[in-house]
Amino acid sequence: MNKTANISPFVNEPFVNFGLEENKQAMEKAISKVKSELGQNIPLHIGERKVFTEDVITSVNPGNLDEVIGYVSKANQALAEEAMHIAVNTFETWKKVSASERAEYLFKAAALMRERKHEFSALMILESGKNYAEADADTAEAIDFIEFYAREMLRLEQINETQPLTKVQGEDNRLTYIPLGVGVVIPPWNFPLAICVGMTTAAVVSGNTVLLKPASTTPVIAHKFVALMEEVGLPAGVINFIPGSGAEVGDYLTSHPKTRFISFTGSKEVGLHISKLAANTSEGQIWIKRLIAEMGGKDGIVVDETAGLDAAAQAIVASAFGFQGQKCSAGSRAIIVEAVYDEVVEKVKELTEKLVVGSPELNYPAGPVIDKGSYDKILGYIEIGKAEGTLLTGGSPAVGNGYYIEPTVFADVNPDARIMKEEIFGPVLAICKAADYKEAIHIYNDTEFGLTGSYFSSDQKRIEEALETMHCGNLYINRKCTGALVGAHPFGGFNMSGTDSKAGGYDYLLLFTQAKLTSRKL
Ligand SMILES: NC(=O)c1ccc[n+]([C@@H]2O[C@H](COP(=O)([O-])OP(=O)(O)OC[C@H]3O[C@@H](n4cnc5c(N)ncnc54)[C@H](O)[C@@H]3O)[C@@H](O)[C@H]2O)c1
Ligand SMILES: N[C@@H](CCC=O)C(=O)O
């Protein structure tokens, strides 16, 4: 039977146009509603148990440090162990639930999230400092991931039934993708809904149970998603919500013998640390842990002299400063050929200076960075940049009761400079001059990362060359290097950017399964 017959084809959730007054007002209303509910105590979810702990994570609005978003209970190792026990037991029943039933929970969740999309976005505006469009894009991507992975599970189920194997007379041979077991899901804070939702739903719809350890700066929005899954009736114990310290709970779970897989998205440093822990075997462990690790980037845009220079400058600014440069895909480097260098640099400076810094709640284009640690680190890099390039604009903290920093552009930066090599993860752009397009591509490739890149040109031959030689997981031509769409631009990077898992792509669910061959003598 074709189980996908009644399901409409996947389409991306449209973005909301906040240029329309009614949409702007709808978001303002959602922000007011969410604000009236802030400051609650949020429990761990361990199976059916809601556990409130004395030790809590206090989530604070990075754009208004006087506003507490919520007090989130914090797991210790004993609670993490209890959650592991529940997840192991629940796996025994969840793995037997049919793929279509598992997908049905996701379809319900997507519908409910769509109904309440402004509420989800409003919470992100307050908890992570996104402006309206960035928060809306995050919610849209979360809905996309849920819809996409639900359909993908149904497709995988069909593949299970129809996998083409070489025919052998007298044998019935089948290859079936079955779930792995208990997974530890560790998302970052910068797409606090979309990435958390995507990683979790992919694991769960594939038949696994999970321990979700959200990022400590954005646990309230993660909990809103967990509560939604509970509301649609997902059985208790399938998603266990266990916020906690990376060093304590994170290390404990990634080293745990019952952990079958780890799905991590975050920095290179933490990713490599987890990779080491996951490679060790603990007493009683009977498998090699599977690790899916999506990590940082030092992404860049190359512009040659045949490019549309206005479009290139707009893309450079959008890629560098969208969500204050706090995207793994952020175009924190621009490499421009000499012939058009001055012109593009001037345009980039002008556009950057139009980005007014202010409260995300009031929808300013440039908001705060996530926390004090990031704020100090970024300002540190700005000081390094002052010695490594020409400060064109920005370069200082910005006014406001939060972690506000001016969008900052450095020109004439040497390819070997630290601000051309290291991920800053903030509103800092380094611009470098190249003699010609070949040298520009060479500079682009001279990095340990390999996540996103763009090439701006109108020369078809050079575009072909760039498509072949620019080494990254997501390469774009004549457009910005951020904003991958689920289904259209499967996302993941090369080298130190991670395991190239291609989230939102047609291979992704295979990472959460193992293939079992059965051969029956007829
Ligand atoms: N490649 C991608 O798809 C992608 C997407 C988004 C973000 N990122 C990267 O994520 C980084 C920003 O996110 P971040 O600051 O949350 O990253 P991070 O590495 O500091 O944290 C990521 C997650 O790991 C957890 N963690 C920290 N120490 C841990 C430990 N010892 N054991 C287990 N978990 C631990 C954190 O609590 C968080 O949930 C940037 O480097 C960015 O490029 C990559
Ligand atoms: N997928 C997002 C980036 C995710 C990481 O931060 C993009 O394409 O801009």
Side-chain angles (χ1 to χ4, degrees), residues 1-60:
M1 192 181 93
N2 184 349
K3 300 203 173 79
T4 58
N6 296 324
I7 309 284
S8 60
F10 171 77
V11 286
N12 293 110
E13 182 71 12
F15 298 135
V16 174
N17 175 3
F18 292 105
L20 296 178
E21 190 55 29
E22 68 201 71
N23 292 337
K24 190 171 147 264
Q25 282 178 11
M27 184 61 89
E28 286 164 357
K29 202 169 150 205
I31 292 174
S32 297
K33 178 174 187 290
V34 169
K35 271 171 111 56
S36 71
E37 297 163 355
L38 294 180
Q40 296 182 26
N41 291 315
I42 289 172
L44 313 175
H45 291 219
I46 301 181
E48 280 173 352
R49 237 159 66 77
K50 304 282 190 302
V51 180
F52 291 90
T53 60
E54 257 179 42
D55 193 12
V56 292
I57 298 168
T58 303
S59 172
V60 172

Side-chain angles (χ1 to χ4, degrees), residues 141 190-191 195 326-329 476 482-484 491:
E141 190 175 15
N190 72 326
F191 279 76
I195 294 183
Q326 299 172 113
K327 300 185 188 183
C328 56
S329 53
Y476 304 103
T482 53
F491 192 79

Side-chain angles (χ1 to χ4, degrees), residues 12 25 41 43 47 52 56 100 114 134 168 204 217 246 286 308 325 339 357 365 367 381 413 420 495:
N12 293 110
Q25 282 178 11
N41 291 315
F52 291 90
V56 292
S100 41
R114 186 175 292 115
E134 292 287 347
V168 176
V204 158
T217 38
I286 59 165
V357 183
Y381 271 111
V413 183
M420 281 288 287
N495 298 344

Side-chain angles (χ1 to χ4, degrees), residues 225-255:
F225 155 64
V226 172
L228 182 91
M229 296 310 291
E230 188 179 45
E231 195 177 334
V232 300
L234 188 79
V238 175
I239 299 176
N240 299 280
F241 182 64
I242 47 159
S245 128
E248 189 189 351
V249 169
D251 283 358
Y252 182 74
L253 287 174
T254 50
S255 310

